[in-house]
Amino acid sequence: MSKVDRIQGVRGMNDVLPADEALWDRLESTVAATMRAYGYARIRTPIVEPTRLFVRGLGEVTDIVEKEMYSFVDSLNGDELSLRPENTAGVVRAALEHNLTYESPRRLWYAGPMFRHERPQKGRYRQFHQIGAEALGFAGPDVDAELIMLCRRLWDDLGLPQVRLEINSLGQADERAAHRQALISYLEGHRDLLDEDARRRLHSNPLRILDTKNPAMQEIAENAPRLAEFLGEASRAHFDGLTQRLRDLNQPYHVNHRLVRGLDYYNLTVFEWVADGLTLCGGGRYDPLVEMLGGRASPSCGFALGVERVLELLRQHDLVGEGASPDCYVVHQGDAAAHTAIQVAERLRDAGLDVVMHCGSGGFKSQFKRADASRAAFAIVLGDDEVAKGVAAVKSLRGGQDETGKGEQQSVALEDLADFVLGRLADEPADDANGGI
Ligand code: ATP
Ligand code: MG
């Protein structure tokens, strides 16, 4: 036994293992294609940002800033930094820093890890991944509808059934202030029914109380004064503009009066996509944010989806798909064959084939076991005989077995090898092609 203790990963921060790669790959490639279809360009911002960015951009009384941020002081220069808990503030910062919206509005998207110090449980981690899109400088509601339809197309392309759209309007700050007063009076009148969390938020963030998951609080939240009753004409027109477009596009929606977002900067449209009681994706307008971060006022809208939650749903619905497998596995025996094998593998790769070459020693039998385990389409076999004749034996590893149970084997001149394999692959049914479902 080793004397050295093993170091474990950080709680709530997961390794993504090769077995899950097919799933991740499918989501990422589908997302990239969907974003392209709507004209969104990818942006990659740093994981570490000044803490100030999130305090200003998210609001001081949000869950994230109050208790979920990984903040630290850079010991070398005293800078106050945080691991990003979300990417909207970073994208807006970068857009301003590089004048991306100087001439015209911009459609941007991102994907990557985010960090929140939450209690880890299924679908809730401390490092998790988000994919999101931001439409900067668009007043909507056309772009609000576009972002919603982008999500819809993504669920469809992934094959996810029954993802439900919930929408609401948060109005503008003054409308929320009036509603807030009414809400606080109402909640104060029912103070004995509030849980500890709600009492704490009563004066800091009462709107968020409506979002409570506590079953004992459902009735009081349901009967609370509705923000919708406090909306002015312009806010109502924006919301009607969105719902009209959704109806035109045959996109079902459910108006959820209690839908609020955790972040302070949202206004007007908010939406969530929910499946099996789990929120996959949240989004909405954040018109004040760009100005709050020092830019020219530019109305904007965006969403973020939780990658782990979407992947979990894909797993539950058996939409995992096959992982990529190599085209060839090169097995060899003997000194001369070992030298030839490494050259043959390079030439096959030159022709565009995915090739795993056996490295190290081992008899043919154990090498064939590894070839099978690699799920390669063909074993390329090189022994002393083959090298002497300038050929390789090509053995099919998938199907194509004769009555003795052995895959058929053919001798092919080395210079014809790549073309031969490419030809055989082209004849094969495409069902085991890399990565697809
Ligand atoms: P919740 O109410 O579930 O805490 P939130 O309002 O904090 O969600 P957002 O900040 O809007 O969530 O993030 C968008 C999406 O990112 C969520 O809908 C969810 O799918 C995902 N997400 C948020 N926090 C986590 C986490 N800790 N682990 C995994 N996914 C998360
Ligand atoms: Mg949260």
Side-chain angles (χ1 to χ4, degrees), residues 68 116 118 124 208:
E68 295 174 0
R116 296 184 193 177
E118 302 196 67
R124 196 174 289 287
R208 191 72 171 154

Side-chain angles (χ1 to χ4, degrees), residues 146-202:
E146 171 182 288
L147 284 161
I148 286 172
M149 295 311 287
L150 189 163
C151 293
R152 163 89 270 155
R153 190 172 295 278
L154 186 59
W155 314 139
D156 288 347
D157 289 352
L158 289 170
L160 283 178
Q162 288 153 13
V163 191
R164 179 179 138 106
L165 173 64
E166 305 209 332
I167 59 173
N168 193 17
S169 175
L170 293 183
Q172 302 293 3
D174 55 335
E175 295 154 3
R176 277 201 303 283
H179 169 249
R180 185 189 152 105
Q181 281 316 313
L183 187 59
I184 291 176
S185 312
Y186 166 83
L187 292 169
E188 268 174 343
H190 297 81
R191 209 185 164 86
D192 45 324
L193 296 173
L194 300 183
D195 62 14
E196 195 190 321
D197 206 37
R199 278 182 206 170
R200 192 174 54 81
R201 283 171 161 163
L202 186 52

Side-chain angles (χ1 to χ4, degrees), residues 43 90-102 108 136:
I43 183 166
V91 167
V92 170
R93 179 205 49 72
L96 292 176
E97 201 165 319
H98 304 284
N99 279 324
L100 296 188
T101 53
Y102 188 69
L108 301 170
L136 303 179

Side-chain angles (χ1 to χ4, degrees), residues 35 106 115 188 200 217 273 286 297 349 357 370 378 402 412:
M35 295 294 180
R106 283 297 272 261
F115 302 83
E188 268 174 343
R200 192 174 54 81
M217 297 255 307
W273 290 95
Y286 47 91
R349 293 182 191 118
M357 200 195 66
R370 288 204 201 171
F378 296 99
D402 63 22
V412 180

Side-chain angles (χ1 to χ4, degrees), residues 96 101 135-138 285-291 295-300:
L96 292 176
T101 53
L136 303 179
F138 295 90
R285 279 214 147 256
Y286 47 91
D287 294 342
L289 181 67
V290 178
E291 208 174 2
R296 242 184 322 152
S298 30
S300 302

